């Protein structure tokens, strides 16, 4: 009788897991012009509230290699977002800066980069709808 209960319980759990629908879409980010191997490419999916303030609402990481590196954000619900990426050459999980405040490590954002100041959410934002998206960011 115990075995029957365990079997029914296992079947119920497996049917429940199969019945769950995927929520959201996948946003795939290809980072071009990675200049060197070593370290990590770290990416954050941001809202206006998290942009330039630390971790994104979703984060992804991949080993850095010269050329292109791809990361993905899974189960992204529709909304307005921006992606920030950096090449964390020394794997310390933060952007290293010169004494004058200029970044020592390569970085980029979705949208248009401001070459004369920090990036803004307004120029980096994009809309996520109900379809998977692909974004390219160039260092």
């Amino acid at each position: 009788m115990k075995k029957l209960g365990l079997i029914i319980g296992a079947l119920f759990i497996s049917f429940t897991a199969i019945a769950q629908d995927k929520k959201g879409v996948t946003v795939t980010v290809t980072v071009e012009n990675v200049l060197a191997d070593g370290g990590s490419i770290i990416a954050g999916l941001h809202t206006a509230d998290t942009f330039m303030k630390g971790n994104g609402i979703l984060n992804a990481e991949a080993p850095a290699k010269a050329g292109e590196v791809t990361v993905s954000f899974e189960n992204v619900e529709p909304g307005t977002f921006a992606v920030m990426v950096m090449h964390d050459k020394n794997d310390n999980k933060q952007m290293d800066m010169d004494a004058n405040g200029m970044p020592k490590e390569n970085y980029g954002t979705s949208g248009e980069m401001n070459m004369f100041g920090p990036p803004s959410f307004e120029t980096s934002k994009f809309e996520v709808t109900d379809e998977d998206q692909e974004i390219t960011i160039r260092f």
Side-chain angles (χ1 to χ4, degrees):
M1 198 57 137
K2 269 187 174 178
K3 280 186 179 180
L4 181 60
L6 289 173
I7 292 171
I8 291 172
L11 284 172
F12 178 74
I13 290 171
S14 68
F15 287 137
T16 304
I18 292 169
Q20 292 178 352
D21 290 332
K22 173 184 150 189
K23 291 187 177 191
V25 299
T26 299
V27 176
T28 302
V29 180
T30 300
V31 182
E32 296 180 333
N33 200 34
V34 177
L35 298 176
D37 293 342
S40 300
I41 299 298
I42 299 175
L45 182 71
H46 292 270
T47 64
D49 293 334
T50 64
F51 192 78
M52 295 288 290
K53 296 177 184 156
N55 287 332
I57 60 164
L58 293 173
N59 299 288
E61 188 173 335
K65 61 182 173 90
E68 287 186 358
V69 174
T70 300
V71 296
S72 295
F73 301 103
E74 303 289 333
N75 301 319
V76 179
E77 295 291 330
T80 304
F81 303 96
V83 174
M84 296 183 71
V85 296
M86 67 173 271
H87 183 177
D88 185 13
K89 292 178 184 177
N90 58 2
D91 276 328
N92 67 351
K93 308 295 184 230
Q94 63 184 15
M95 173 71 77
D96 295 325
M97 304 286 199
D98 282 330
N100 65 2
M102 295 298 292
K104 288 183 178 180
E105 297 171 311
N106 292 332
Y107 70 95
T109 67
S110 50
E112 294 184 30
M113 284 282 294
N114 177 3
M115 300 312 288
F116 301 105
S120 73
F121 184 77
E122 285 303 308
T123 59
S124 302
K125 69 182 179 180
F126 63 94
E127 294 295 320
V128 171
T129 60
D130 58 353
E131 294 184 14
D132 291 347
Q133 284 186 268
E134 294 183 13
I135 296 172
T136 300
I137 297 175
R138 184 172 176 82
F139 280 156

